[in-house]
Coordinates of all heavy atoms in Angstrom, one line a residue:
I1 N 0.8 -1.2 0.0 CA 0.0 0.0 0.0 C 0.9 1.3 0.0 O 0.6 2.2 -0.8 CB -0.9 0.0 1.2 CG1 -2.0 -1.1 1.1 CG2 -1.6 1.4 1.4 CD1 -2.8 -1.3 2.3
K2 N 1.9 1.3 0.9 CA 2.7 2.5 1.0 C 3.5 2.7 -0.4 O 3.6 3.9 -0.8 CB 3.7 2.3 2.1 CG 4.6 3.5 2.4 CD 5.5 3.4 3.6 CE 4.7 3.4 4.9 NZ 4.2 4.8 5.2
N3 N 3.9 1.7 -1.0 CA 4.7 1.8 -2.3 C 3.8 2.4 -3.4 O 4.2 3.2 -4.2 CB 5.3 0.5 -2.7 CG 6.5 0.1 -1.9 OD1 7.1 1.0 -1.3 ND2 6.8 -1.2 -1.9
V4 N 2.5 1.9 -3.4 CA 1.6 2.5 -4.4 C 1.3 4.0 -4.1 O 1.3 4.8 -5.1 CB 0.2 1.7 -4.4 CG1 -0.8 2.4 -5.3 CG2 0.4 0.2 -4.8
I5 N 1.1 4.3 -2.9 CA 0.8 5.7 -2.5 C 2.0 6.6 -2.9 O 1.9 7.7 -3.4 CB 0.4 5.8 -1.1 CG1 -0.9 5.1 -0.9 CG2 0.3 7.3 -0.6 CD1 -1.4 5.1 0.6
K6 N 3.2 6.1 -2.6 CA 4.4 6.9 -2.9 C 4.5 7.1 -4.4 O 4.9 8.2 -4.9 CB 5.7 6.1 -2.5 CG 5.9 6.2 -1.0 CD 7.2 5.4 -0.6 CE 7.5 5.5 0.9 NZ 8.7 4.8 1.3
K7 N 4.1 6.1 -5.2 CA 4.1 6.3 -6.7 C 3.1 7.4 -7.1 O 3.4 8.2 -7.9 CB 3.8 5.0 -7.3 CG 3.8 5.0 -8.8 CD 3.6 3.7 -9.5 CE 3.6 3.7 -11.0 NZ 3.3 2.4 -11.6
M8 N 1.9 7.3 -6.4 CA 0.9 8.4 -6.7 C 1.4 9.8 -6.3 O 1.1 10.7 -7.0 CB -0.4 8.1 -6.0 CG -1.0 6.7 -6.3 SD -1.7 6.7 -7.9 CE -2.4 5.1 -8.0
K9 N 2.1 9.8 -5.3 CA 2.6 11.1 -4.8 C 3.5 11.8 -5.8 O 3.6 13.0 -5.9 CB 3.3 11.0 -3.4 CG 3.6 12.3 -2.7 CD 4.2 12.1 -1.3 CE 4.5 13.4 -0.6 NZ 3.2 14.2 -0.4
R10 N 4.3 11.0 -6.5 CA 5.2 11.6 -7.5 C 4.5 12.3 -8.7 O 5.1 13.1 -9.4 CB 6.1 10.4 -8.0 CG 7.1 9.9 -7.0 CD 8.3 9.2 -7.7 NE 7.8 7.9 -8.2 CZ 7.8 6.7 -7.5 NH1 8.3 6.7 -6.2 NH2 7.4 5.6 -8.1
I11 N 3.2 12.0 -8.8 CA 2.5 12.7 -9.9 C 2.3 14.1 -9.7 O 2.3 15.0 -10.6 CB 1.1 12.0 -10.1 CG1 1.3 10.5 -10.5 CG2 0.2 12.8 -11.0 CD1 0.0 9.7 -10.4
G12 N 2.3 14.5 -8.4 CA 2.2 15.9 -8.0 C 0.9 16.5 -7.7 O 0.8 17.7 -7.3
A13 N -0.2 15.7 -7.9 CA -1.5 16.2 -7.5 C -1.8 15.9 -6.0 O -1.3 14.9 -5.5 CB -2.6 15.5 -8.4
P14 N -2.6 16.7 -5.4 CA -3.0 16.4 -4.0 C -3.7 15.0 -3.9 O -4.4 14.6 -4.8 CB -4.0 17.5 -3.6 CG -3.7 18.6 -4.6 CD -3.2 18.0 -5.8
L15 N -3.4 14.4 -2.8 CA -3.9 13.0 -2.6 C -5.0 12.9 -1.4 O -4.7 13.5 -0.4 CB -2.8 12.0 -2.3 CG -1.6 12.0 -3.2 CD1 -0.6 11.0 -2.7 CD2 -2.1 11.6 -4.6
I16 N -6.1 12.2 -1.7 CA -7.0 11.9 -0.7 C -6.9 10.4 -0.4 O -7.1 9.6 -1.4 CB -8.5 12.3 -1.1 CG1 -8.6 13.7 -1.4 CG2 -9.5 11.8 0.0 CD1 -10.0 14.1 -2.0
L17 N -6.7 10.0 0.8 CA -6.7 8.6 1.2 C -8.0 8.1 1.7 O -8.6 8.6 2.6 CB -5.6 8.4 2.3 CG -5.4 7.0 2.8 CD1 -5.1 6.0 1.7 CD2 -4.4 6.9 3.9
T18 N -8.6 7.1 1.0 CA -9.9 6.6 1.3 C -9.8 5.1 1.4 O -9.2 4.4 0.5 CB -10.9 6.9 0.2 OG1 -11.0 8.3 0.0 CG2 -12.3 6.4 0.5
V19 N -10.4 4.5 2.5 CA -10.5 3.1 2.7 C -12.0 2.8 2.9 O -12.4 2.6 4.0 CB -9.6 2.6 3.8 CG1 -9.5 1.1 3.8 CG2 -8.2 3.2 3.8
R20 N -12.8 2.8 1.8 CA -14.2 2.8 1.9 C -14.7 1.5 2.5 O -14.3 0.4 2.1 CB -14.8 3.1 0.6 CG -16.4 3.2 0.6 CD -16.8 4.4 1.2 NE -16.5 5.6 0.5 CZ -15.9 6.6 1.0 NH1 -15.5 6.7 2.3 NH2 -15.5 7.7 0.3
S21 N -15.7 1.6 3.4 CA -16.3 0.4 4.0 C -17.2 -0.2 3.0 O -17.8 0.5 2.1 CB -17.1 0.7 5.3 OG -18.2 1.5 4.9
K22 N -17.4 -1.5 3.1 CA -18.3 -2.2 2.1 C -19.7 -1.8 2.1 O -20.4 -1.6 1.1 CB -18.2 -3.7 2.3 CG -18.7 -4.5 1.1 CD -18.4 -6.0 1.3 CE -18.9 -6.8 0.0 NZ -18.5 -8.2 0.1
D23 N -20.2 -1.4 3.4 CA -21.6 -1.0 3.5 C -21.8 0.3 2.8 O -23.0 0.6 2.5 CB -21.9 -0.8 5.0 CG -22.0 -2.1 5.8 OD1 -22.2 -3.1 5.1 OD2 -22.0 -2.1 7.0
E24 N -20.8 1.1 2.5 CA -20.9 2.4 1.9 C -20.3 2.5 0.5 O -20.0 3.5 0.0 CB -20.4 3.5 2.8 CG -21.1 3.6 4.1 CD -21.0 4.9 4.8 OE1 -20.8 5.9 4.1 OE2 -21.1 4.9 6.1
G25 N -20.1 1.3 -0.1 CA -19.7 1.2 -1.5 C -18.3 0.7 -1.7 O -17.8 0.7 -2.8
G26 N -17.6 0.3 -0.6 CA -16.3 -0.3 -0.7 C -16.3 -1.7 -1.4 O -17.3 -2.4 -1.4
Q27 N -15.2 -2.1 -1.9 CA -15.1 -3.3 -2.6 C -14.9 -4.5 -1.7 O -15.4 -5.6 -2.0 CB -13.9 -3.3 -3.6 CG -13.8 -4.5 -4.5 CD -12.9 -4.3 -5.7 OE1 -13.1 -3.5 -6.5 NE2 -11.8 -5.1 -5.7
R28 N -14.3 -4.3 -0.6 CA -14.1 -5.4 0.4 C -14.2 -4.9 1.8 O -14.1 -3.7 2.1 CB -12.7 -6.0 0.2 CG -11.6 -5.0 0.5 CD -10.3 -5.7 0.6 NE -9.7 -5.9 -0.7 CZ -8.6 -6.5 -1.0 NH1 -7.9 -7.1 0.0 NH2 -8.1 -6.6 -2.2
D29 N -14.5 -5.8 2.7 CA -14.5 -5.5 4.1 C -13.1 -5.5 4.7 O -12.4 -6.5 4.6 CB -15.3 -6.5 4.9 CG -16.8 -6.1 4.9 OD1 -17.1 -4.9 5.0 OD2 -17.7 -7.0 4.8
I30 N -12.6 -4.4 5.2 CA -11.3 -4.3 5.8 C -11.5 -4.1 7.3 O -12.2 -3.2 7.7 CB -10.5 -3.2 5.2 CG1 -10.2 -3.5 3.7 CG2 -9.1 -3.0 5.9 CD1 -9.4 -2.4 3.0
P31 N -11.0 -5.0 8.2 CA -11.2 -4.8 9.6 C -10.8 -3.4 10.1 O -9.8 -2.8 9.6 CB -10.2 -5.9 10.2 CG -10.1 -6.9 9.1 CD -10.1 -6.1 7.8
D32 N -11.5 -2.9 11.1 CA -11.2 -1.6 11.5 C -9.8 -1.3 12.0 O -9.2 -0.3 11.8 CB -12.2 -1.2 12.7 CG -13.6 -1.0 12.2 OD1 -13.8 -0.6 11.0 OD2 -14.6 -1.3 12.9
K33 N -9.2 -2.3 12.7 CA -7.9 -2.2 13.2 C -6.9 -2.0 12.0 O -6.0 -1.1 12.1 CB -7.5 -3.4 14.0 CG -6.1 -3.3 14.6 CD -5.8 -4.5 15.5 CE -4.4 -4.3 16.1 NZ -4.0 -5.5 17.0
L34 N -7.0 -2.8 11.0 CA -6.2 -2.7 9.8 C -6.4 -1.3 9.1 O -5.5 -0.7 8.6 CB -6.4 -3.8 8.8 CG -5.7 -3.8 7.5 CD1 -4.2 -3.7 7.7 CD2 -6.0 -5.0 6.7
K35 N -7.7 -1.0 9.0 CA -8.1 0.3 8.3 C -7.4 1.5 9.0 O -6.9 2.4 8.4 CB -9.6 0.4 8.3 CG -10.2 1.6 7.5 CD -11.7 1.4 7.5 CE -12.3 2.6 6.7 NZ -13.8 2.5 6.6
L36 N -7.5 1.5 10.4 CA -6.9 2.6 11.1 C -5.4 2.6 10.9 O -4.8 3.7 10.7 CB -7.2 2.4 12.6 CG -6.6 3.5 13.5 CD1 -7.1 4.9 13.1 CD2 -7.0 3.2 15.0
N37 N -4.8 1.4 10.9 CA -3.3 1.4 10.6 C -2.9 1.9 9.3 O -1.9 2.5 9.1 CB -2.8 0.0 10.8 CG -2.7 -0.5 12.3 OD1 -2.6 0.4 13.2 ND2 -2.8 -1.7 12.5
I38 N -3.8 1.6 8.3 CA -3.5 2.1 6.9 C -3.5 3.7 6.9 O -2.6 4.3 6.3 CB -4.6 1.6 5.9 CG1 -4.4 0.1 5.7 CG2 -4.5 2.4 4.6 CD1 -5.5 -0.6 4.9
F39 N -4.5 4.3 7.6 CA -4.5 5.7 7.7 C -3.3 6.2 8.4 O -2.6 7.2 8.0 CB -5.8 6.2 8.4 CG -7.0 6.2 7.6 CD1 -8.1 5.4 7.9 CD2 -7.1 7.1 6.5 CE1 -9.2 5.4 7.1 CE2 -8.3 7.1 5.7 CZ -9.3 6.2 6.0
K40 N -2.9 5.6 9.6 CA -1.8 6.1 10.4 C -0.5 6.0 9.6 O 0.4 6.8 9.7 CB -1.7 5.4 11.7 CG -2.8 5.8 12.7 CD -2.7 5.0 14.0 CE -3.6 5.5 15.0 NZ -3.5 4.8 16.3
D41 N -0.3 4.8 8.9 CA 0.9 4.5 8.3 C 1.2 5.5 7.1 O 2.4 5.7 6.7 CB 1.0 3.1 7.8 CG 1.1 2.1 8.9 OD1 1.4 2.5 10.0 OD2 0.9 0.9 8.6
N42 N 0.1 6.0 6.5 CA 0.3 6.7 5.2 C -0.1 8.2 5.3 O -0.1 8.9 4.3 CB -0.5 6.0 4.1 CG 0.0 4.6 3.8 OD1 1.1 4.4 3.3 ND2 -0.7 3.6 4.3
I43 N -0.5 8.7 6.5 CA -1.0 10.0 6.6 C 0.0 11.1 6.2 O -0.3 12.1 5.6 CB -1.4 10.3 8.1 CG1 -2.2 11.6 8.2 CG2 -0.2 10.3 9.0 CD1 -3.6 11.5 7.7
S44 N 1.3 10.8 6.4 CA 2.3 11.8 6.0 C 2.5 11.9 4.5 O 3.0 12.9 4.0 CB 3.7 11.4 6.6 OG 4.2 10.1 6.0
L45 N 2.0 10.9 3.7 CA 2.1 10.9 2.3 C 1.0 11.6 1.5 O 1.1 11.9 0.3 CB 2.2 9.5 1.7 CG 3.4 8.7 2.2 CD1 3.3 7.2 1.8 CD2 4.7 9.3 1.8
V46 N -0.1 11.9 2.2 CA -1.3 12.4 1.6 C -1.7 13.8 2.1 O -1.1 14.3 3.0 CB -2.5 11.4 1.8 CG1 -2.2 10.0 1.2 CG2 -2.9 11.3 3.2
D47 N -2.7 14.4 1.4 CA -3.1 15.7 1.8 C -4.4 15.7 2.6 O -4.8 16.7 3.2 CB -3.2 16.6 0.6 CG -1.9 16.7 -0.2 OD1 -1.1 17.5 0.2 OD2 -1.7 15.9 -1.1
A48 N -5.2 14.7 2.5 CA -6.5 14.6 3.1 C -6.9 13.1 3.3 O -6.4 12.2 2.6 CB -7.6 15.3 2.3

């Protein structure tokens, strides 16, 4: 995940990090603990 986001960052456009829940249109169910870690691990790479 981090490597993909780093690649996106090189494009130069602002980044929004989204881990959508399945109930609200996400493709898969991601456990809340993992979802929170994804946000924490990558917050420095994104703008929102």
